[in-house]
Amino acid sequence: MSNDLEHRSSPPDFGDDEMKDDDQMFKSATLPVTDDIPLSEDDEEDENPFGEPSVSKKASTNINELSTKNDTPLTIPSVTPIAVLESPPMKQDNQFFPSDTGINSIESSTQPVYENQSSAISKPITNENISTTKPIQKPKEDHNIEITVNDPTKVGEGMSSYMTYRITTKTSLSMFKQKEFSVNRRFSDFLGLHTKLVSKHLQMGVIIPSPPEKDSLSMAKVKISKDEGIPTDFIDRRRSQLERYLNRLAHHDKLIQDPDFRDFIEMSSDLPKSTSTQALSSAGVLRALSNITNQVTKLTTKTSEQDQWFEEKHTFILDLHTNFKQLFNHFNTLFTQRKEAGQALKLLSTSLNHLATIEEHTLLSSALIELANVEEKIEQINIDHSLKEYTLISELIKEYISLLEMVQLAFQERIKLHQQWLTAEDTLKKKREAKLKLEQTAKNVDKLPQAEMEINEWDGKVIRGKEEFERISTSIKQELENFEQTRIDDFKQGIQLYFQQLLEQQEKILEIWESYLPEANKINL
């Protein structure tokens, strides 16, 4: 059991042995250079347990029908219709995902994917079923909080320098002392916060958002650059990623109440220097998943998952993770090809200018010069669109790849608690058998009190193990409902903005060509 306590008190070890591979995401100081993420080779095979409560309306009853069984009909005056028939429909607010979480509630017409799936967790070993009824939650105050990250500032010079970011919070939540406050934090503080949150909340089944990964190469360029030469594109991307990370934490009902998070955004003084600041890279999370899986393989093989909901949801998460990585790689390929197309347009524009200088026909020369200008404008439009597309779509997909890896860690934590429960039951069974043997032997009567104490101790461990397993199972189900709705909302908004930018790009290109058309028509004169 000491190993379990150590595992709970410290987060999984995410080494940075492969950080060099992860840090190749942004190689250029002007444009991000993309790297493909290798697909994991051993993807395993993995509904909403809590369907929307059915609200049945009372059937109307004709009062006059009550007298049909009597010989003499009753004369009953007309009565105003019962208010039950005209009662307003029940408000279909999701009590587990109120509006204060910043996540739009699911419309009544949208049903969960696994609506008909049983919500009860099948018993893993004992004869008792695990109750997974949702706890009744008290109404919460509106989750009105907005966090912005701005004013990136370089502190110091040379390789010992670092960047600080100004974090401004505006909120009406009563848990905070002020409605608006600001603090300065460095990047290592974000990583230290994440480490603390993982160590406290992962064992509770909470899906914890991941901060941006380290980018040692780009950060080294920032450290050695003068103020006017700092790669602003990298700094702005990181600022945007940190802002999204903090807002995800702030809109989580449990994480926003964490003392470490509240101190992070509210305490004006500097935080203690973090000793463990390794970001959860894809490789690091997958290594942690592999280590945890290896530790629990023996027990999980003989006690396979009996809850159909978890089995199907686990398969869905693995498939979604694989598809997101493939999609991310395809967008990276598209980004690379567009960057190459932009370079080709630049070369074409240069060649057209050279051709125009030696052309003797004045109108044709003028048309070639204007065509070169058109290609330069189109090149700039394509570059701007590629950067926006990368920030809007590619980084969103990359963020959800990390989130899905944290979901897998939560599933593994549940498996670990399941094993601890089974181990406690096996040990309790052995202790009782040992006590029975002592009772059958007269010369070992003095050992019976100690045996009884051990039985009581392990009986308590079995009860606690069952309670912890029930708690994390219920928590993961609620977290996944929240996660799914957030994912749908994020990608819906992202895709809409992406299509809008595509239309704007095409309209700009169309305007450029329309303005060039009169110049081209002059050649026929």
Side-chain angles (χ1 to χ4, degrees), residues 198-358:
V198 168
S199 63
K200 290 191 292 185
H201 295 281
L202 182 61
Q203 61 186 355
M204 307 294 292
V206 176
I207 301 174
I208 307 168
S210 298
E213 297 179 357
K214 283 184 175 179
D215 190 349
S216 301
L217 179 61
S218 297
M219 194 59 205
K221 294 179 180 179
V222 172
K223 291 181 177 181
I224 63 177
S225 300
K226 299 298 181 180
D227 292 341
E228 62 278 2
I230 293 179
T232 56
D233 60 326
F234 162 72
I235 297 298
D236 188 63
R237 280 197 306 273
R238 171 164 285 185
R239 181 207 59 77
S240 176
Q241 292 168 352
L242 294 175
E243 183 175 295
R244 290 202 304 268
Y245 168 67
L246 289 180
N247 278 286
R248 286 192 184 278
L249 295 178
H251 288 87
H252 193 288
D253 291 336
K254 296 178 181 177
L255 299 180
I256 191 176
Q257 301 177 19
D258 187 274
D260 289 318
F261 173 71
R262 292 172 59 180
D263 289 344
F264 184 87
I265 63 174
E266 193 175 18
M267 189 170 66
S268 57
S269 59
D270 293 339
L271 297 175
K273 187 175 181 180
S274 302
T275 56
S276 177
T277 59
Q278 294 178 349
L280 286 181
S281 64
S282 300
V285 171
L286 292 178
R287 284 197 302 271
L289 286 172
S290 177
N291 293 335
I292 296 175
T293 303
N294 292 335
Q295 293 174 4
V296 302
T297 298
K298 294 182 180 180
L299 285 177
T300 53
T301 53
K302 68 177 182 179
T303 57
S304 58
E305 180 63 69
Q306 297 184 19
D307 193 314
Q308 186 70 14
W309 186 91
F310 277 100
E311 183 177 357
E312 293 179 356
K313 187 62 70 173
H314 188 214
T315 301
F316 169 73
I317 294 299
L318 291 175
D319 292 342
L320 186 63
H321 183 258
T322 300
N323 290 327
F324 270 162
K325 289 196 293 184
Q326 292 176 343
L327 185 62
F328 181 77
N329 291 337
H330 291 321
F331 266 103
N332 282 345
T333 302
L334 180 62
F335 178 81
T336 302
Q337 292 175 348
R338 285 180 172 170
K339 186 169 65 174
E340 294 174 351
Q343 295 173 350
L345 284 175
K346 186 176 182 179
L347 293 176
L348 176 60
S349 176
T350 303
S351 298
L352 290 172
N353 278 320
H354 291 167
L355 180 60
T357 57
I358 63 174

Side-chain angles (χ1 to χ4, degrees), residues 8 10 38 45 57 124 155 159 172 219 274 321 325 339 373 377 382 406 463 492 513:
R8 293 188 180 187
S10 60
E45 299 294 331
K57 295 183 179 179
V155 178
M159 295 305 295
S172 60
M219 194 59 205
S274 302
H321 183 258
K325 289 196 293 184
K339 186 169 65 174
N373 294 334
K377 294 177 181 178
N382 289 337
M406 295 304 299
I463 295 175
K492 178 180 179 181
W513 282 113

Side-chain angles (χ1 to χ4, degrees), residues 155-200:
V155 178
E157 294 294 337
M159 295 305 295
S160 61
S161 62
Y162 57 91
M163 297 295 299
T164 62
Y165 301 86
R166 187 71 171 170
I167 302 172
T168 303
T169 304
K170 297 180 181 180
T171 181
S172 60
L173 297 178
S174 58
M175 68 178 67
F176 296 102
K177 300 177 182 178
Q178 301 176 353
K179 293 185 177 181
E180 182 173 352
F181 43 88
S182 299
V183 295
N184 290 324
R185 296 288 181 257
R186 55 187 298 182
F187 182 67
S188 59
D189 294 332
F190 287 84
L191 303 184
L193 171 65
H194 181 68
T195 301
K196 294 175 183 178
L197 295 178
V198 168
S199 63
K200 290 191 292 185

